[in-house]
Amino acid sequence: MTLILSRFLTGFIILVMFFNVSCKENKTEQEVITHKYTNALAKETSPYLLQHAHNPVNWRAWSQEALEEAKKENKLVLVSIGYSSCHWCHVMEDETFENEEVAKIMNDNFINIKVDREERPDVDQVYMTALQLISGNGGWPLNVITLPNGKPLYGGTYHTKNQWTKVLTKISELYKNDPKKAEEYSDMVAAGIAEANLVEPAKDFEAITKEVVNTSVENWSQNWDLEEGGEKGVQKFMIPTNLDFLLSYADLAKDEKAKNHVKNTLDKMALGGVYDQIGGGFYRYSTDSFWKVPHFEKMLYDNAQVLSLYSKAYTIFKDDAYKDVVWETVDFLDREMKDENGGYHAALDADSEGEEGKFYVWKEEELKSVLGDGFELFFGLLYYK
């Protein structure tokens, strides 16, 4: 199937229907919504923090005062980090942070702090490093439990209500029953964070020889998905910086294997559901290994890097489809992400009216109403390779 036909078919699958949500609503006094709970986040300006302003959890923003209060009351600190367009942040809020029983455990035993990673990337970096040291991976929502001095004791990402309740209970009991052990462990994690974030002047450049680079790429290639593109795994992330490096390497080293892998990856991305075939721009990642079913969040920095990547690829492969991707993405950014004051917003939420991808996906009955007698042919072509 040609690239153009594949993109045409994929375009029918995903419908782009953006809507503008304003944080300001014109309401009369009679229409003002009353909330059962309101915490300190109601005074913040961050969209992410305001999303949690009416949780039953006694959230507060990151501050020295909050940490001092933890020391004074000898309470553990719970630091929960996310951002406004994070789908799993929304899910955990709905399932866990809005639950009154869970909130009581959190309020009784912890000083609870919410952090917007786009507002405080410095705090996010410290605790993301802690999570990676503790569990070997990372992501958001990032939930860390620390000693009153801020040193991490536990780190995790999304939790169900039951999982989170067990974690809170276990860590709280550890701190109450064996504070010395908790302190020793947190000191070890803190030392690891300091070492991981230590910036030293680069040296030993002479060790970076052509042979070393070739060997590194060859070792890396063992993890390439040569059929579907990208890296092997159950999900697909674009990682434009990796592909940009590999494209330069392939061109300089005349490495056809690497060059073909990049070309295949770029084609699969452009043809797949991870690319918005109607509205332009790339989604955050694919939830499957075929680039088909996206996580519908769109990030500014992802699309900015992809612009450079496909522009560079066009200069090498001279594929007009890559040029189309660039201009369609530029149009999307200017249309949907650009603010009236000239800057660009950081992200578009994956969720609309509480449902992920609600205004992007066609339902079967909608397709039938549009395609009529052509639906059966279209449906069959979807599975043609």
Side-chain angles (χ1 to χ4, degrees):
M1 180 179 291
T2 66
L3 185 63
I4 294 175
L5 179 57
S6 296
R7 292 186 61 201
F8 174 78
L9 291 175
T10 309
F12 274 94
I13 303 174
I14 301 178
L15 171 65
V16 177
M17 294 176 60
F18 285 103
F19 66 101
N20 294 323
V21 178
S22 172
C23 291
K24 299 178 181 178
E25 297 183 66
N26 296 321
K27 295 180 180 292
T28 64
E29 284 188 20
Q30 291 77 17
E31 292 176 313
V32 173
I33 298 174
T34 57
H35 299 277
K36 186 176 181 180
Y37 299 98
T38 299
N39 55 52
L41 298 185
K43 299 177 181 178
E44 298 298 316
T45 59
S46 155
Y48 177 66
L49 299 187
L50 290 171
Q51 287 171 1
H52 294 78
H54 300 292
N55 295 162
V57 179
N58 293 332
W59 293 118
R60 63 199 72 191
W62 177 270
S63 67
Q64 190 59 41
E65 290 75 17
L67 297 177
E68 290 299 329
E69 184 177 336
K71 293 178 183 178
K72 182 179 178 180
E73 298 185 12
N74 193 30
K75 278 189 173 182
L76 292 172
V77 179
L78 195 157
V79 183
S80 184
I81 304 173
Y83 54 101
S84 62
S85 63
C86 169
H87 171 68
W88 290 105
C89 298
H90 300 331
V91 174
M92 189 165 180
E93 178 192 11
D94 292 339
E95 293 180 349
T96 306
F97 297 144
E98 290 187 350
N99 182 277
E100 294 182 357
E101 294 179 2
V102 177
K104 186 178 189 311
I105 297 174
M106 293 172 65
N107 295 336
D108 289 347
N109 297 282
F110 303 88
I111 297 297
N112 302 292
I113 298 176
K114 261 290 173 189
V115 176
D116 183 342
R117 69 176 293 263
E118 292 173 337
E119 188 176 59
R120 293 301 304 264
D122 54 331
V123 177
D124 178 65
Q125 179 182 355
V126 170
Y127 290 118
M128 182 57 71
T129 303
L131 174 60
Q132 291 168 340
L133 289 171
I134 293 170
S135 66
N137 52 43
W140 296 275
L142 167 56
N143 294 293
V144 179
I145 297 175
T146 83
L147 295 181
N149 59 15
K151 292 183 178 181
L153 189 58
Y154 171 85
T157 53
Y158 165 77
H159 297 71
T160 64
K161 180 171 72 74
N162 290 337
Q163 290 170 339
W164 190 234
T165 301
K166 289 177 182 178
V167 166
L168 296 177
T169 303
K170 185 175 181 180
I171 299 300
S172 181
E173 289 177 351
L174 170 65
Y175 184 61
K176 291 176 181 177
N177 299 330
D178 198 345
K180 184 177 180 180
K181 181 178 180 180
E183 187 172 343
E184 289 174 350
Y185 180 75
S186 68
D187 285 343
M188 180 180 67
V189 176
I193 294 172
E195 183 178 348
N197 288 328
L198 180 64
V199 178
E200 296 182 335
K203 55 185 178 180
D204 297 330
F205 288 106
E206 63 277 3
I208 306 176
T209 64
K210 183 186 296 185
E211 290 72 22
V212 168
V213 175
N214 290 341
T215 300
S216 297
V217 172
E218 179 59 32
N219 291 337
W220 177 16
S221 71
Q222 305 305 309
N223 200 45
W224 296 348
D225 185 340
L226 297 179
E227 183 175 349
E228 298 298 335
E231 306 283 320
K232 295 176 182 177
V234 295
Q235 298 174 329
K236 293 286 188 185
F237 286 84
M238 296 179 291
I239 318 182
T241 51
N242 285 3
L243 294 171
D244 184 85
F245 162 79
L246 201 56
L247 191 57
S248 295
Y249 168 82
D251 192 47
L252 292 170
K254 308 303 178 187
D255 187 326
E256 289 302 312
K257 178 182 178 182
K259 190 174 183 179
N260 291 336
H261 174 61
V262 174
K263 180 72 167 63
N264 183 45
T265 300
L266 295 177
D267 288 347
K268 294 287 187 177
M269 286 165 48
L271 292 172
V274 76
Y275 181 64
D276 189 335
Q277 304 292 332
I278 298 176
F282 286 84
Y283 299 106
R284 185 75 178 91
Y285 62 90
S286 171
T287 61
D288 58 80
S289 59
F290 305 101
W291 305 102
K292 284 187 177 180
V293 183
H295 175 56
F296 289 95
E297 173 187 12
K298 285 182 178 177
M299 307 297 290
L300 180 64
Y301 69 86
D302 283 335
N303 283 283
Q305 292 180 89
V306 167
L307 281 180
S308 297
L309 174 62
Y310 274 89
S311 297
K312 183 175 181 178
Y314 175 73
T315 66
I316 294 174
F317 297 109
K318 307 301 182 185
D319 189 331
D320 285 341
Y322 295 168
K323 183 167 61 174
D324 291 341
V325 166
V326 170
W327 286 118
E328 289 168 6
T329 301
V330 168
D331 289 342
F332 152 71
L333 291 171
D334 284 343
R335 184 181 66 252
E336 305 292 345
M337 302 289 279
K338 192 172 185 178
D339 186 78
E340 60 184 9
N341 295 317
Y344 287 84
H345 294 281
L348 281 176
D349 206 328
D351 297 66
S352 300
E353 299 179 5
E355 182 179 338
E356 185 182 4
K358 180 175 181 178
F359 290 105
Y360 293 96
V361 178
W362 289 90
K363 294 180 179 178
E364 183 175 333
E365 58 269 24
E366 292 173 329
L367 279 174
K368 287 180 177 178
S369 69
V370 173
L371 298 176
D373 294 339
F375 174 78
E376 294 299 329
L377 174 62
F378 168 76
F379 189 77
L381 288 172
L382 289 179
Y383 298 95
Y384 174 76
K385 285 192 177 181

